[in-house]
Amino acid sequence: MSTIIKQRQFPGYHKYEMELAGRPLTLEVGKLAELANAAVMVGYGDTRVLVCATAAPRPRDGIDFFPLSVDFEEKMYSVGRIPGSFNRREGRPGEKGILTARVIDRPIRPLFPYDFRNDVSIMATVMSVDHDCSPEVAALIGTSAALAISDIPWNGPVGAVKVGLVDGKLVINPDSEMRKVSDLDVTVVSTGKKVVMIEAGANEVDNDTMFKAIQMAHEENQKQIALINQMVSEIGKPKFDYPHAAFDQELFDDIVANFMDEAKAAMDTDDKNVRESRWNAMIEKWHEKYLDTHPDMDQYLEEITYKFQKKIVKAWLLEGHRVDGRAKNEIRPLAAEVGVLPRVHGSGLFTRGQTQVLSVATLDTLSANQKLDTIWEETEKRYMHHYNFPGYSVGEAKPARSPGRREIGHGALAERALLPVIPSVEEFPYAIRVVSEVVSSNGSTSQGSICGSTLALMDAGVPIKAPVAGISCGLIQDDDGSFTTFIDIQGVEDFHGEMDFKVAGTKKGITAIQMDLKNDGLTMEIIRNALDITYDARVQILDQIMLPCIAEPRPEVSKYAPKMITMHIDPDKIRDVIGKGGSVIQKIVADTGAKIDINDDGSIFIAAPNPESCDAAKKCIDDIVFVPEVGQLYYGRVVRLMTFGAFVELAPGKDGLVHISKLADHRIEKVEDACKIGDMMWVKVTEIDEKGRVNLSHKDAMKEIAAKEAAGERIK
């Protein structure tokens, strides 16, 4: 009996195509991952990303939030590499993968129904990478298409592009070479009407240019949205019904009616602890009044609190009143301090209201650069910024854990904000790490870490190009579309507001933006307003608080930081400096106590606890690579006498011969009549023959020295 084989058919296969920034964009459906709610293979140039959207058929018991998970998987085979880990397989996502997952999460999350509680998983797997065509953009487009055509309730679609600034011109989705020289890298995600996500890094770009880039991206995004809407009309599935999250509206209305005045009094303070204490006391009164008639009220308390506080905060902000009594354009009391910790290389403490961040800068040799094992073009990172958010910063008793996605995201935002002002390796040959410890949190700690880190870098003597400050802008919208923006949001305003628009930069321009939303998007009017008020605020922070604390970077690095010398040698001499099996360089390190890093281009970076060790190591290397030049004067030691002349050491292991006829300006019978072993003498290189032998003249050297002294020149 023979085996029966049938050719597999894919009757549900569809392919949609368009051009994006001059390169083909394809969305394929119906061939892969058929058991997911929807799966889209995105092709952008030669980049391929498979995006799968999957939803649980029903919510988990007792869940009171929307459990959305977004993963961006970097497969090393996509760039023809084997993972560098011990197991030689992908493990925990890298930093870039986590940041990309956050960029996907932020714009899609607000577009799910408010009371949707089913688990939803978005998995974007990068299978092939063309560095000219961003996998991040491909994953965003694929996520939008997969959710839109699936049966999962969602109010998309969205479109996404990047914008660069090359030679003063805005470019949609710049290629790899353009990105290397671009002054801007902004990712913009839009719906058909509004902008729902902005993530930017920039080289001090002004507000007008940034605004034009966002406008351009929003317009470009409409082409993708039109294509995805076509997919929905042709192959989209009907959205499934879901059990709406339960809420006791009658109880909520009764509590609001009876406790509004007390709730307002509880909220009206700038102290987070006082507010929470007052509110908890009021909840006890709710229990006394309603628990008998509403025995299940505790399951609604969190949502009742959220809706009640939001109702108050929204009404106040629309009237121009803030929870802590500030004006809309007023920043909380600020303080800045440097040199907080005695032994570290640099430290800065920045305080804004009840938000406090202590940043610490550490300098090391370039061998401490972070090595990256990713699908991206970058292979190492010289400037690193890490952000820690312990439980005590918000008054919670919880143990320390490894950094989560939020901590990684906030650290990356601060790193991106400061990177444009970090000096080049030629100017400052150090690896630099800054750690921001959030010691107290009541809103906008990421921007506090940017300010604190600027202080720490300047305190460490890092010659940054300009100081950077960061501030956040909030938003409240009324039902009629009117809106109010306000500067420096604190925790309760962040929690109940509709926007956290974070902007960092120098006085000259923007270095980073990150925008988080809880609504359906921003109009261009709101974006323009947010850019303007954050600029004014950060200039005030710099002028009134940070620069009076430390006006410029310290002229020298800390005495506890390693001292550094940079030198360059002929790349052909590198093997001589290293020696067989590293024997030469290891001896230099052992003898001098210095750390030595050598690049393939002949750049050598020497670091040591003190300048003397650096100088000693440099002299050792100078001696090894020393090559005498014809016509130059040298001051050397006589090391050997022969009947025909004397050998003079110009550098360790580098001798030259002074013939007996060149030892004096008169005839001598014996070499010993002119010199003895150990004597120091000036010599001039007269010839280097084809075998590399060096011929010297003491007579010619003395004539040249006499002429220079007569002319008043200094002999080196």
Side-chain angles (χ1 to χ4, degrees):
M1 184 176 179
S2 61
T3 301
I4 299 173
I5 297 177
K6 291 184 178 181
Q7 189 73 31
R8 174 72 159 92
Q9 302 297 316
F10 299 95
Y13 175 76
H14 294 82
K15 184 176 182 179
Y16 294 83
E17 300 177 90
M18 65 172 282
E19 189 176 276
L20 178 57
R23 303 178 189 89
L25 174 71
T26 60
L27 303 175
E28 298 179 79
V29 180
K31 184 182 286 187
L32 301 175
E34 294 175 287
L35 298 182
N37 291 62
V40 178
M41 173 63 89
V42 183
Y44 184 31
D46 285 339
T47 292
R48 295 292 183 273
V49 181
L50 176 64
V51 182
C52 298
T54 313
R58 62 190 63 84
R60 287 176 273 160
D61 291 339
I63 198 164
D64 60 354
F65 63 95
F66 172 43
L68 170 66
S69 64
V70 178
D71 291 287
F72 180 86
E73 292 197 312
E74 304 169 287
K75 298 297 184 181
M76 295 301 289
Y77 56 70
S78 67
V79 288
R81 298 179 195 155
I82 295 174
S85 65
F86 182 80
N87 292 324
R88 292 295 186 266
R89 67 177 298 163
E90 294 83 2
R92 185 175 184 265
E95 182 177 291
K96 182 72 173 179
I98 290 171
L99 297 176
T100 304
R102 282 171 55 85
V103 166
I104 297 170
D105 184 302
R106 296 209 312 274
I108 67 172
R109 186 178 290 271
L111 299 178
F112 285 94
Y114 175 75
D115 58 352
F116 188 48
R117 297 292 183 267
N118 300 45
D119 281 85
V120 173
S121 169
I122 304 297
M123 184 75 74
T125 306
V126 182
M127 296 182 165
S128 176
V129 173
D130 173 354
H131 287 301
D132 287 334
C133 300
S134 166
E136 180 182 78
V137 169
L140 277 161
I141 296 170
T143 299
S144 174
L147 284 171
I149 66 173
S150 76
D151 57 350
I152 303 170
W154 188 63
N155 297 317
V158 298
V161 294
K162 286 178 173 286
V163 181
L165 181 64
V166 182
D167 295 330
K169 295 181 180 179
L170 295 172
V171 181
I172 296 292
N173 286 356
D175 61 27
S176 175
E177 290 303 310
M178 290 179 178
R179 289 197 298 270
K180 292 175 183 177
V181 296
S182 178
D183 287 320
L184 175 64
D185 176 19
V186 56
T187 304
V188 179
V189 183
S190 312
T191 63
K193 294 182 179 179
K194 299 179 180 180
V195 174
V196 291
M197 201 280 297
I198 302 170
E199 180 91 9
N203 186 17
E204 298 183 277
V205 169
D206 63 81
N207 282 6
D208 289 341
T209 303
M210 182 66 75
F211 184 68
K212 289 175 184 175
I214 295 168
Q215 280 185 313
M216 178 187 285
H218 179 63
E219 292 169 5
E220 185 70 26
N221 285 340
Q222 304 313 307
K223 300 174 185 177
Q224 301 166 32
I225 292 170
L227 180 66
I228 295 172
N229 279 332
Q230 178 188 343
M231 296 174 65
V232 173
S233 65
E234 294 177 4
I235 62 173
K237 302 175 184 177
K239 301 300 183 182
F240 63 70
D241 292 326
Y242 62 92
H244 297 268
F247 182 68
D248 194 331
Q249 188 65 42
E250 179 185 351
L251 175 62
F252 175 74
D253 292 340
D254 201 35
I255 288 176
V256 170
N258 286 287
F259 288 88
M260 178 58 81
D261 290 342
E262 189 171 348
K264 287 181 177 179
M267 294 289 291
D268 199 5
T269 176
D270 62 353
D271 192 311
K272 179 181 178 181
N273 292 328
V274 170
R275 183 184 306 113
E276 291 181 355
S277 177
R278 290 174 180 174
W279 197 270
N280 289 334
M282 187 170 55
I283 288 177
E284 292 302 315
K285 295 180 182 179
W286 296 354
H287 278 110
E288 293 174 8
K289 185 175 179 65
Y290 298 109
L291 196 56
D292 289 342
T293 55
H294 297 80
D296 58 347
M297 68 177 292
D298 281 347
Q299 67 177 296
Y300 307 118
L301 274 182
E302 188 171 338
E303 191 166 0
I304 288 173
T305 291
Y306 175 78
K307 288 188 172 183
F308 200 173
Q309 290 186 351
K310 185 177 180 68
K311 187 179 185 72
I312 295 170
V313 171
K314 180 176 180 178
W316 277 353
L317 287 170
L318 290 172
E319 295 168 1
H321 174 78
R322 298 182 71 170
V323 171
D324 53 10
R326 282 183 290 149
K328 291 189 295 182
N329 63 342
E330 184 179 352
I331 300 173
R332 287 170 290 173
L334 302 173
E337 185 179 347
V338 294
V340 182
L341 303 175
R343 287 270 177 168
V344 302
H345 300 164
S347 57
L349 176 65
F350 185 80
T351 303
R352 184 193 293 122
Q354 289 183 309
T355 292
Q356 277 191 306
V357 182
L358 175 59
S359 290
V360 182
T362 305
L363 309 178
D364 205 339
T365 62
L366 295 176
S367 61
N369 287 358
Q370 183 182 1
K371 304 299 185 290
L372 304 177
D373 186 28
T374 72
I375 64 173
W376 313 94
E377 292 178 284
E378 297 81 5
T379 58
E380 68 175 20
K381 191 158 59 171
R382 171 175 162 250
Y383 172 64
M384 299 151 276
H385 192 289
H386 298 138
Y387 166 104
N388 296 318
F389 192 86
Y392 65 76
S393 67
V394 287
E396 294 180 1
K398 63 180 184 181
R401 293 285 186 269
S402 59
R405 290 190 171 194
R406 179 182 178 277
E407 286 83 355
I408 291 171
H410 280 9
L413 174 60
E415 182 176 296
R416 192 173 223 188
L418 288 159
L419 189 59
V421 302
I422 296 295
S424 68
V425 69
E426 291 77 18
E427 299 172 90
F428 193 71
Y430 287 89
I432 308 166
R433 180 184 184 232
V434 177
V435 179
S436 290
E437 305 285 0
V438 178
V439 295
S440 180
S441 171
N442 188 11
S444 201
T445 54
S446 65
Q447 302 309 287
S449 71
I450 291 169
C451 297
S453 297
T454 296
L455 297 172
L457 288 167
M458 294 171 76
D459 185 50
V462 179
I464 59 174
K465 298 171 186 175
V468 179
I471 194 70
S472 60
C473 171
L475 169 76
I476 285 289
Q477 286 182 291
D478 208 348
D479 297 335
D480 63 2
S482 61
F483 68 90
T484 294
T485 55
F486 45 95
I487 204 69
D488 181 26
I489 58 177
Q490 61 167 303
V492 68
E493 292 171 333
D494 184 10
F495 190 61
H496 298 298
E498 297 172 25
M499 174 182 80
D500 182 5
F501 199 112
K502 300 182 275 281
V503 184
T506 64
K507 290 184 182 181
K508 180 180 177 182
I510 295 167
T511 57
I513 295 177
Q514 187 177 93
M515 185 185 80
D516 295 328
L517 290 180
K518 298 187 181 75
N519 62 12
D520 62 350
L522 302 183
T523 64
M524 289 297 160
E525 181 185 8
I526 296 173
I527 293 171
R528 178 82 248 191
N529 181 269
L531 291 174
D532 289 342
I533 66 174
T534 51
Y535 174 78
D536 292 339
R538 75 171 183 267
V539 169
Q540 295 301 314
I541 293 171
L542 287 167
D543 283 343
Q544 297 182 22
I545 301 298
M546 294 175 62
L547 294 179
C549 174
I550 180 167
E552 59 187 18
R554 300 202 187 282
E556 302 288 341
V557 299
S558 164
K559 65 180 181 180
Y560 300 111
K563 306 305 177 287
M564 191 78 72
I565 289 179
T566 303
M567 61 185 297
H568 296 272
I569 65 171
D570 184 339
D572 292 337
K573 295 285 185 178
I574 292 176
R575 66 180 65 186
D576 298 330
V577 175
I578 294 174
K580 186 176 181 180
S583 58
V584 175
I585 197 168
Q586 288 173 11
K587 185 176 188 306
I588 297 173
V589 169
D591 291 345
T592 65
K595 290 176 65 175
I596 302 172
D597 297 323
I598 304 178
N599 291 345
D600 292 340
D601 65 355
S603 299
I604 298 182
F605 304 95
I606 304 169
N610 54 71
E612 293 75 19
S613 294
C614 286
D615 292 338
K618 182 178 184 301
K619 186 179 185 310
C620 290
I621 295 172
D622 282 336
D623 290 343
I624 293 170
V625 302
F626 172 75
V627 177
E629 296 180 38
V630 174
Q632 291 297 312
L633 296 176
Y634 297 96
Y635 192 59
R637 183 170 63 90
V638 177
V639 292
R640 192 156 41 111
L641 300 180
M642 307 294 288
T643 57
F644 51 82
F647 283 92
V648 175
E649 183 182 63
L650 306 179
K654 305 289 174 65
D655 299 344
L657 172 66
V658 182
H659 191 269
I660 189 171
S661 63
K662 300 292 185 179
L663 278 171
D665 58 1
H666 58 277
R667 178 180 175 81
I668 58 174
E669 295 297 329
K670 294 188 297 181
V671 172
E672 289 84 351
D673 293 339
C675 62
K676 61 182 182 297
I677 292 176
D679 283 353
M680 299 295 295
M681 67 166 60
W682 283 101
V683 292
K684 182 176 182 177
V685 179
T686 58
E687 180 190 19
I688 301 176
D689 67 19
E690 67 279 358
K691 294 183 178 180
R693 292 177 296 197
V694 181
N695 292 319
L696 308 172
S697 172
H698 176 59
K699 178 173 66 175
D700 293 345
M702 297 312 295
K703 286 181 181 179
E704 185 170 331
I705 289 172
K708 287 186 175 183
E709 288 177 342
E713 294 183 34
R714 183 167 174 257
I715 309 301
K716 296 181 180 179

